[in-house]
Structure formats: C-alpha cells, structure tokens
Amino acid sequence: MSRKKHHGGWVILTSLLIGLMFTIMPLPSWAVAWRPDWVALILLYWCIALPQRVGITSAWIVGIFEDILTDTLLGQHSLSLICLSYISVKLHRRIRAFPIWQQAVGVFVLMLLSEILSIWIRSLLGAQHTDWSFSYPAISSMLLWPWIFVMLRDIRRMYHVF
Amino acid sequence: MVADYRYSYVKQIRTDLSAAIYPLQYLVSLPVQTGQWLSQNFSTRGQLLNEMAQLRERNLLLQVSLQKYEDLKSENERLRTLLDSSIKLGERMLLTEVLAVDLDPFARKIMINKGTSQGVFNGQPLLDAYGVLGQVTNTGPQSSTVMLITDPSHALPVQVVRTGLRTIAMGMGATNRLKLLYLPNNSGIKVGDLLVTSGLGGQFPAGYPVGTVAEFTPDIGQPYAQVQAIPSAHLERNREVLLVWTSEEKQKAASGGGEEKP
C-alpha cells in the first residue's frame, strides 16, 4: 500500500459515500421497494475494476456504515456485501470479459444472493415475508448496472484511479 | 450480529459511529428542508393572511377548551388528594423535527434531529398532535432513531376507552394498521372504539390516544378475535413531533433505561 502504487483513493471513497447517501434518500412510497442497492453496485464495480484495492475489508467497513445509516442489525449489510465482494474479486477476470448485458445478468444473480442473505437474517430476527418484493432491488440494480459501469469507468479513467 | 442482538455494549459503538455519520444524514435531508424554507419564504401575502386567520380561529377554540381543561385538572387534583392517590401529570415536552431520510424499508422507523445531548434516552415515547407515534430505539449525540407503533416488532399496552378493556397493540409492518392481541370473541369491542395508552408497561404515559378500532372479526374457530385498529397519529405525514419526559421515566432513565419492548 505504498503511495506510489496507488492513486485516487478519494474517488473510491467519494463514490461510496454518494452511494450511502442515495441509500437513505427519501423516495415516494411506491418506489421504496424498488430502490437499487447503490452501495453494492458501486462496491461491485470497484471490486471488479480494482480487486487489489477494494475487497472484503472495504466491504465490511462500508457495510457497517450502511447498517448504522439504515438502523439495521450491525453486520447485516456487511455480511451480504462481504459475500458479494468475495465472489466478484474471485471472478473479476471472468466478469471483465463479459459483454455488458451479460454482466448485468451476473449483477442480478449476485444482488439476489445478497438480498436472500439479508432476508434470511431478518427472518431469524422474527420478520415475516410472504412475497417476492425483496427481489425488486435486484431487478432495479440489474437495470442500472450498465449506466453505473460506464459512469464509474469514465470517472476512473478521468482521475487515473488505479 | 449476535453481539448486537443480545448485548448492549455494541449499542455504545453504534452511538459513537452514528455521530460520525450524522453529517451524511443531514446532507441528504437538506434539499427537503431547503425546499420547505423556500416555500415558506415565498408564499404570497394573501396565503399568509389566510393562514393567520385560520390559526387565530383555532387558537381561540383551543383556548376555550383549555379553560375547561384547567378547571377539570384542578378538580381532578382535588379529587385525587381526597382519595390519597399519587398519580402525577407533570410531563415535559420538546418539539423535534423529523429528518427526511429513509431507513430500512422493512421496518417502520424515522429519524429525529435530537439526541443524547438534548437528554433523549432509549425507550422515550414520542407523540404528535393526534396521538402516540412511537418510541426512541437508538440515540446518537445529535440524532436518534424512532420505532413507530406500526413496526412489526413494536407492542404497545392499550386500553379501550368505552369499556376499560386492556389489550396489546402490535404493529403490522407495511400496512398502516395495528393488530390487537388476545381479545376474546365476546369482548364487546365495536368498530370506532377509541384506544388510549394504558401506561401499564411503564414506558408510555397513560391516557394518550393510540387509534380507533377499524375492523372486528370474531373467529369461532380461534380462541381470540381478529381486531385491527388505525393509528390516530399521522405516522407518515409528520414534520414535527414531540418528545415526552414523564417524571417516572426520568427516574427510570437514571437507573439505566427501560427495556426495548414493553
């Protein structure tokens, strides 16, 4: 982690902070269930683009902050983000080679996995879920992925983050 | 996660970290607050005059009813001293603002802009102009999280005003309704009955309106009837809410706070 090797850490940090802000942005009530998982999307991009910098540890820290922001059990978002980042860091070479729509499908699967993890924790705590509404964020994240990907790639190139 | 669920020392970490994260929340709710400020500042003279007339009228009505209240209060106190009963009505209120941030979509929670530095404590009840709103579940130095009474893990001891029957009102999550538990089929509840807090849990002051019964379905096959109520507080449309300190709760806070759920 020498200063020479890495560059532009503040860009990663700012993008994650903006993601956290989008997570608690007030939305009309019909859209709340469809809110994409911003933090996971942004983290996923950085895991694929810079797996040597962003990985499980950053996922854990960001997840703890997300837990505090949304007042969920400490570690709930962390766990799903850790799984997400582990898989994407492991497979980053393969994911990079996919065309963008195929990546979006992969994002859908990963998001669904993380949503299922968090729903599992919630039901351990006694919450009851009868419908598939927990999968809506995965769908909206999938639809957003191409834009997020292109935007963050341009930002990364503009600020020479590596 | 297990530590957070079972032990309270993690709560301190949460409190400290929530202080660090407050600027983010403030930043998110800023556009909404600015919008309100702008609309207040640029409303027309006619609108303002109209609003003032309305408020004056309301104030008059409220003052008239307050005269009666003062009279009733002194009468009540006199009767209580006659009966040697020691119920105290002294309550302190503080107006707080709801931050425009969305929390966990699966729970019913809001965020307010007062925290431990203003004396807010865990389990503190919140009211609005129409009834009971919820209780504080997490406190930070400048902000706290409030669990609404419609949260699925919130239970509130209530009493039916007409019959004096005591029951428990559970939140139902996404629907803006309360579920009344353990009411037998012949409990004599009618649609439209007013529910008030019974004060039995020790968490909420007694006698504040909670909701009205909206649905009563006796179920012969079950030991208990299914009763639903609509909360009287405007849970979704509030900007300003009231924090309440009762004299009993102050003592409780001094001795280490109340339990999470009544």
Side-chain angles (χ1 to χ4, degrees), chain A residues 15-40:
Chain A
S15 66
L16 286 170
L17 278 180
I18 290 171
L20 283 173
M21 279 169 70
F22 274 126
T23 311
I24 54 167
M25 193 80 95
L27 284 181
S29 53
W30 59 268
V32 167
W34 288 90
R35 181 198 299 277
D37 201 341
W38 293 100
V39 177

Side-chain angles (χ1 to χ4, degrees), chain B residues 156-158 198-204 249 252 259 261-262:
Chain B
L156 178 68
V158 294
S198 67
L200 276 183
Q203 199 83 279
F204 286 87
E249 268 147 16
K252 222 176 171 188
E259 79 259 63
K261 283 172 245 169

